[in-house]
Amino acid sequence: APLTGLAWQAQEGAGRCLDAALTVLAAVASQAFYVTERAVPPELVDLLDIVRSHFPPVTNAQTFAPPLASLMARLRNRIYDVDEGLRE
């Protein structure tokens, strides 16, 4: 197998790890704004709306995997949606 195939697979794996890390960071930031009752900077309002539509603020014990997976898929789609990037 060509080495480029292995490099491509490694890059894809690294990308999925980055997607997961950014998803958790978004959820934690959302929770921090909720708990501290701080105002969200205007530049982040739309992103926070997306985050909270998939992962609302935590107020009781719950399973986090399904909403985080949903949020990760939405963020990944937003990143790779070329049309959306051109509109902004």
Side-chain angles (χ1 to χ4, degrees), residues 28-86:
V28 169
S30 170
Q31 186 69 17
F33 280 117
Y34 174 76
V35 169
T36 61
E37 298 179 355
R38 293 183 65 190
V40 178
E43 300 84 5
L44 296 178
V45 170
D46 292 340
L47 180 58
L48 186 65
D49 288 343
I50 291 170
V51 171
R52 288 189 175 163
S53 72
H54 293 271
F55 194 85
V58 177
T59 57
N60 56 11
Q62 60 182 311
T63 303
F64 298 131
L68 285 174
S70 174
L71 175 58
M72 185 169 72
R74 175 61 181 97
L75 293 176
R76 187 168 235 244
N77 288 341
R78 183 175 177 177
I79 290 168
Y80 291 107
D81 182 357
V82 175
D83 290 338
E84 184 175 320
L86 293 174

